[in-house]
Amino acid sequence: MKKLPEETPVYLFMGFLEAGKTKFIQETLEDKRFYSGEKTLLLVTEEGEEEYDSSRFAVKDVTVRVAKKEEMTADNLAKWQLESDSDRVIVEYNGMWTIDTLFEAMPEGWFLTQTMAFFDTATFLTYNQNMRQLVFDKIKNAQMVVFNRFSDGANKEEFHKIVRAITRQADIVYEHADGKAEYDDTVDPMPYDMNASVINIEDRDYALFYRDLTENMDAYIGKTVRFKGLVVSDKRLPENSIVIGRHIMTCCEADIQYSGLACVMQRPIPLQTRDWAEITARIAFERHTVYKGKGPVLMASEIKKCEPPQEQLATFY
């Protein structure tokens, strides 16, 4: 009985209709450098105005399957891969579906090797205003964000800020109508001094601090920080240990969640859940029961109870 390969690389191209996904995939399959004998399953989850011209493919053995949302199951995807005997998968992903639809349907052994999000410059700001959760869903998982049909007079700063509010990891590319591509090389300094003896995190900057800490942890190990946070205590924790952080809204009210860090002190911490406190602590990377393994641990030198700040909800804006 034929079995799936142990590992199947998946190339994921996301975006709304007419964002340029089909054109990019067509050009990729026309590129001889993208072919060294692999059989390819092209999974199309929406049908736009532009169609694939297989006669121009430099890549051989391409099987195209159009999938409806209800067909996105692990059994179906595995069956289509076996039928096509494919070694890799390209996905043209429906912009109106959340990425979880794909993640929950991926058979065992499938792994993302490249993820790109495409947007039409003329409609992006409208989509972001009216369907922000779907825009956020695409950008947060992308290694590269491409703005197609970018006009020379368009303001890059507006597009840059939206992407960087969601992720600092993705490359940003502005693709002009004449085919010229510009890479965004804007340097975004953090809103606090990383070289200070004590890094002061203002109330408005906690969301940026928390995300940058989790994405760029090596830069923070050994640093001393000071910020105000909401305490969570639990009888299962040692008396010298708490969690401190804030509720962060990354996209909309539906995704607000508490994002806290384990904190320990050399003496008992007399704080209760829902207390607000200002903490001064050195960041270490150690084991803690909060993480069920290693994670960023605040080694506190000072914790003092304080009044709730005016800005209690942390955002990226």
Side-chain angles (χ1 to χ4, degrees):
M1 183 178 178
K2 191 184 296 184
K3 293 183 178 181
L4 292 178
E6 289 187 7
E7 293 187 341
T8 300
V10 177
Y11 299 81
L12 175 60
F13 304 103
M14 306 172 286
F16 300 104
L17 272 173
E18 312 309 317
K21 303 187 299 296
T22 304
K23 180 175 181 291
F24 184 87
I25 295 172
Q26 174 74 39
E27 292 174 351
T28 299
L29 293 174
E30 291 176 15
D31 189 340
K32 294 179 180 178
R33 295 171 297 178
F34 193 64
Y35 181 65
S36 55
E38 306 93 334
K39 294 181 179 178
T40 305
L41 173 61
L42 173 54
L43 189 63
V44 180
T45 61
E46 66 181 0
E47 295 185 84
E49 291 185 7
E50 193 163 349
E51 296 183 355
Y52 290 102
D53 183 356
S54 59
S55 67
R56 293 164 51 193
F57 289 172
V59 175
K60 308 303 179 185
D61 298 316
V62 178
T63 301
V64 181
R65 293 299 302 251
V66 178
K68 298 177 181 178
K69 193 170 187 178
E70 59 270 22
E71 295 176 305
M72 293 291 288
T73 67
D75 287 344
N76 269 342
L77 299 187
K79 184 181 81 167
W80 294 340
Q81 182 181 6
L82 289 172
E83 289 174 348
S84 60
D85 195 25
S86 53
D87 307 298
R88 62 185 179 183
V89 178
I90 296 175
V91 182
E92 181 182 351
Y93 201 66
N94 192 316
M96 302 307 291
W97 300 356
T98 64
I99 199 66
D100 286 344
T101 299
L102 174 63
F103 288 164
E104 292 169 4
M106 286 172 60
E108 186 175 353
W110 285 29
F111 67 96
L112 294 179
T113 189
Q114 185 176 22
T115 56
M116 298 177 65
F118 295 82
F119 297 99
D120 186 331
T121 302
T123 59
F124 173 74
L125 297 178
T126 301
Y127 275 119
N128 185 61
Q129 182 176 1
N130 298 322
M131 293 188 291
R132 175 154 179 78
Q133 193 163 6
L134 287 171
V135 171
F136 175 87
D137 181 73
K138 306 300 173 293
I139 292 177
K140 74 174 181 179
N141 291 288
Q143 297 167 329
M144 179 179 289
V145 177
V146 180
F147 291 106
N148 275 313
R149 309 175 188 101
F150 203 85
S151 62
D152 293 335
N155 182 6
K156 294 187 180 73
E157 184 178 358
E158 197 167 11
F159 296 84
H160 171 92
K161 284 183 175 179
I162 291 172
V163 175
R164 285 293 171 253
I166 298 171
T167 176
R168 293 172 66 86
Q169 302 301 307
D171 292 326
I172 305 173
V173 180
Y174 306 101
E175 183 88 22
H176 293 259
D178 61 3
K180 181 181 70 174
E182 287 184 85
Y183 280 80
D184 190 316
D185 57 1
T186 304
V187 177
D188 292 297
M190 297 306 292
Y192 42 80
D193 184 1
M194 286 289 292
N195 296 314
S197 57
V198 177
I199 303 170
N200 284 293
I201 311 299
E202 300 293 338
D203 295 335
R204 64 179 177 273
D205 297 327
Y206 181 81
L208 286 170
F209 160 68
Y210 183 84
R211 183 182 67 187
D212 199 52
L213 170 63
T214 54
E215 292 181 349
N216 191 26
M217 196 174 303
D218 286 348
Y220 287 85
I221 294 174
K223 300 284 188 179
T224 298
V225 296
R226 179 182 293 128
F227 64 88
K228 293 176 183 177
L230 183 64
V231 171
V232 172
S233 184
D234 192 292
K235 61 183 180 182
R236 291 170 293 185
L237 293 175
E239 60 181 6
N240 70 332
S241 184
I242 60 171
V243 176
I244 186 166
R246 292 209 175 193
H247 288 93
I248 295 178
M249 181 173 72
T250 52
C251 170
C252 52
E253 290 186 3
D255 69 8
I256 294 174
Q257 63 179 358
Y258 180 77
S259 300
L261 300 166
C263 170
V264 298
M265 208 171 186
Q266 290 185 342
R267 60 181 183 272
I269 303 175
L271 293 172
Q272 306 297 319
T273 295
R274 289 187 291 277
D275 283 345
W276 281 88
E278 183 179 77
I279 179 174
T280 303
R282 178 178 58 83
I283 299 174
F285 183 66
E286 296 188 354
R287 290 189 176 277
H288 196 282
T289 54
V290 167
Y291 304 123
K292 299 179 181 177
K294 285 190 173 183
V297 177
L298 301 172
M299 315 298 288
S301 57
E302 183 180 19
I303 302 177
K304 54 185 180 181
K305 193 173 179 179
C306 66
E307 292 297 315
Q310 187 172 357
E311 297 179 45
Q312 296 185 26
L313 179 65
T315 70
F316 295 98
Y317 307 98

